[in-house]
Amino acid sequence: MLTKNRAALELILAGALWGFGFVATVFALRAFSPVEAMVYRFLIASVFGELIYLYFRPAGLPSMRSDFKKAFPAGFFLGGMLILQTIGLQYTTATKSGFITSLYVILVPLLNTLIFKTRSSLLNYALAFVALAGTFVLMDANVTDVNTGDLWTLACSVLAAGHIIYIGRITHKVDNAFRFNNFQSIWVLLLLSPLLLTQKSVNMTAPWEAWAGVAMLGLGSSIIAFSIQIRAQKVLSDSTASMIFLLESPFAALFGFLLLQERLSWFQAFGALIIMAASAMQILADPSSKTTGKQSQE
């Protein structure tokens, strides 16, 4: 049975993969438009995810037609989040986009309380604000000048919170987290593919570095990381999951330092330490009593 500590460790791994995804995105965007990069990413995730599942398919699983239907809202939230974030980046900076998107750490417990009347402790809100402060310091963000792109990104953070909450609500009804993630990727692909019609041309002859970036996004950030998220949220509370997701920021900084020669100031490094400390405290204080109720099938 999946324990809380193991779920937290797996979600930290997912955060590392999403953090590495920032570097992969840099490689991909050297040749592809944002729409092309996302469509190719989820095409790879959908095709290879299904091939992997069919090869290792567990015996005795029931029909997953209902899981395919359940995955539509997850795909809608995920695809919508990525599109809104991309639109916002046309008008705002990547730094501000990253910080505003991370507001989901506050929106998750707030929306759960407003919509589902779920209680959230003051400690959780305090740790969320501490983690947000760390993100602000890490990204050296300047949010005093609000523009159109910031508003698009704020809408992205709402959908990001919606995705986390929906996964938390539905995951105990999912027969297999890996297959459910495949369905989620297929829905994102179906929702985003029509946007290729808005492109003047479709690039299929990009350098290998760009294709490697897309492949890393499809295999690591989508197939592995999102499957881990769905599996981990079987036992972790939505608030704890959202806090651990913030670890992608320091991981992104680390991989940027190692692979892109990006450098952090001591002040920004202090922000990364704040995020990690707040996330660790949230894991230890997690009040979640969610259990799978059965042996994990993934």
Side-chain angles (χ1 to χ4, degrees):
M1 182 178 294
L2 185 65
T3 64
K4 185 186 78 169
N5 289 340
R6 180 173 174 178
L9 289 174
E10 290 184 1
L11 211 51
I12 291 172
L13 172 61
L17 290 171
W18 285 323
F20 187 78
F22 283 91
V23 175
T25 300
V26 170
F27 292 151
L29 293 179
R30 288 175 178 173
F32 297 122
S33 70
V35 170
E36 289 172 330
M38 285 191 292
V39 170
Y40 295 155
R41 165 185 176 171
F42 284 100
L43 177 62
I44 290 173
S46 300
V47 172
F48 281 89
E50 277 299 284
L51 290 176
I52 293 171
Y53 172 79
L54 292 175
Y55 184 81
F56 294 102
R57 181 177 181 176
L61 282 177
S63 170
M64 295 193 178
R65 186 175 302 174
S66 62
D67 276 4
F68 186 71
K69 295 178 180 178
K70 294 187 186 80
F72 173 75
F76 172 81
F77 281 123
L78 183 59
M81 172 185 72
L82 293 173
I83 284 299
L84 291 175
Q85 188 177 63
T86 302
I87 294 174
L89 282 170
Q90 295 177 320
Y91 307 100
T92 191
T93 66
T95 298
K96 288 177 70 178
S97 176
F99 176 71
I100 295 173
T101 300
S102 67
L103 290 175
Y104 61 69
V105 74
I106 295 295
L107 293 175
V108 166
L110 182 62
L111 291 176
N112 262 329
T113 299
L114 293 176
I115 299 174
F116 301 107
K117 311 302 180 184
T118 302
R119 293 182 179 180
S120 187
S121 67
L122 291 177
L123 176 61
N124 174 248
Y125 281 111
L127 291 174
F129 276 110
V130 169
L132 270 181
T135 305
F136 184 88
V137 172
L138 171 63
M139 295 183 173
D140 196 17
N142 177 10
V143 295
T144 57
D145 298 321
V146 178
N147 59 40
T148 302
D150 299 333
L151 298 179
W152 283 108
T153 310
L154 181 60
C156 158
S157 71
V158 175
L159 289 184
H163 183 259
I164 294 170
I165 292 172
Y166 180 76
I167 293 298
R169 292 274 161 177
I170 202 69
T171 187
H172 67 284
K173 300 178 182 178
V174 170
D175 291 308
N176 184 277
F178 189 89
R179 190 74 184 285
F180 185 86
N181 181 52
N182 291 347
F183 293 155
Q184 172 182 246
S185 295
I186 291 171
W187 279 118
V188 174
L189 178 64
L190 293 174
L191 291 170
L192 296 184
S193 291
L195 293 177
L196 286 176
L197 299 176
T198 66
Q199 307 294 291
K200 294 181 179 180
S201 62
V202 178
N203 187 0
M204 296 295 293
T205 59
W208 72 267
E209 294 93 340
W211 283 113
V214 170
M216 287 185 284
L217 287 170
L219 299 175
S221 298
S222 294
I223 292 179
I224 299 176
F226 282 124
S227 294
I228 289 175
Q229 176 194 355
I230 296 167
R231 169 183 163 90
Q233 283 195 250
K234 287 179 179 288
V235 295
L236 292 177
S237 68
D238 298 344
S239 298
T240 297
S242 65
M243 287 282 287
I244 299 176
F245 292 160
L246 286 183
L247 290 175
E248 69 178 327
S249 295
F251 276 122
L254 173 62
F255 290 123
F257 172 82
L258 295 175
L259 301 175
L260 299 177
Q261 288 73 54
E262 296 179 354
R263 296 295 181 262
L264 291 179
S265 67
W266 287 107
F267 188 63
Q268 290 174 305
F270 178 65
L273 290 176
I274 292 175
I275 297 172
M276 290 186 285
S279 299
M281 291 178 66
Q282 175 62 32
I283 294 170
L284 294 174
D286 183 11
S288 175
S289 59
K290 295 166 67 176
T291 58
T292 59
K294 56 182 179 181
Q295 289 293 113
S296 176
Q297 298 180 15
E298 288 77 30

